[in-house]
Amino acid sequence: MTTERDIRTNFAFCPPEGEGGAWHATLESLERALREAFPDPTIGHRRSGVHEMTVLDFEIEPAPDLWVDGTAAITEPDYAYITLTDATADEAGAFAVWLRDSFVPTPSLVRFASSLALANGEETPSPLPAHGSREDITGLLRRHLEAFDH
């Protein structure tokens, strides 16, 4: 019997290429949505030295006993990017389903990438399916990581 490794990596979520403003989001709308959706989130704002903009740092529990740390950089009208730090497929899958189903205006507007894939030369984010359960999305993210875990 094989046991799946719980690979940890950074996951990024963004709108489709060329549609950076498709989420119609701001840091304020994301903060409000996180506060409404998750009990006792930890949320803070800081100036990013990388992007030279204000970003939103957060820690939430998207499912029981699953915690994620993330950073969001969103500027109107054309840029949105959310990164989860050192997350497993289970953690990222729970967040991705919430993002897709509860935050973005249309479920087909979410793309994802991982630092593991980027380190292996994959530069194009993949579409997150517009439908599917948390288990389905977690399975997709697991397969994504396994494809790049050499």
Side-chain angles (χ1 to χ4, degrees), residues 97-115:
V97 168
W98 172 80
L99 180 69
R100 179 196 68 190
D101 295 349
S102 300
F103 185 69
V104 299
T106 304
S108 63
L109 292 178
V110 180
R111 301 292 180 267
F112 74 93
S114 69
S115 55

Side-chain angles (χ1 to χ4, degrees), residues 47-113:
R47 187 84 177 151
S48 169
V50 175
H51 299 289
E52 294 299 322
M53 65 176 71
T54 299
V55 296
L56 178 81
D57 291 324
F58 61 90
E59 181 182 22
I60 57 169
E61 185 181 19
D65 298 321
L66 290 179
W67 291 88
V68 296
D69 289 316
T71 298
I74 302 174
T75 57
E76 292 183 278
D78 60 356
Y79 185 80
Y81 204 82
I82 299 173
T83 304
L84 302 183
T85 307
D86 196 32
T88 65
D90 291 342
E91 294 160 351
F95 177 80
V97 168
W98 172 80
L99 180 69
R100 179 196 68 190
D101 295 349
S102 300
F103 185 69
V104 299
T106 304
S108 63
L109 292 178
V110 180
R111 301 292 180 267
F112 74 93

Side-chain angles (χ1 to χ4, degrees), residues 5-76:
R5 275 186 347 108
D6 237 355
I7 301 167
R8 289 193 166 276
T9 188
N10 296 341
F11 282 91
F13 299 95
C14 58
E17 188 169 344
E19 299 179 52
W23 291 357
H24 305 289
T26 63
L27 290 180
E28 292 77 20
S29 66
L30 177 61
E31 179 178 354
R32 189 170 43 257
L34 291 169
R35 288 188 187 283
E36 290 172 4
F38 305 105
D40 302 317
T42 300
I43 296 176
H45 297 262
R46 69 177 165 85
R47 187 84 177 151
S48 169
V50 175
H51 299 289
E52 294 299 322
M53 65 176 71
T54 299
V55 296
L56 178 81
D57 291 324
F58 61 90
E59 181 182 22
I60 57 169
E61 185 181 19
D65 298 321
L66 290 179
W67 291 88
V68 296
D69 289 316
T71 298
I74 302 174
T75 57
E76 292 183 278

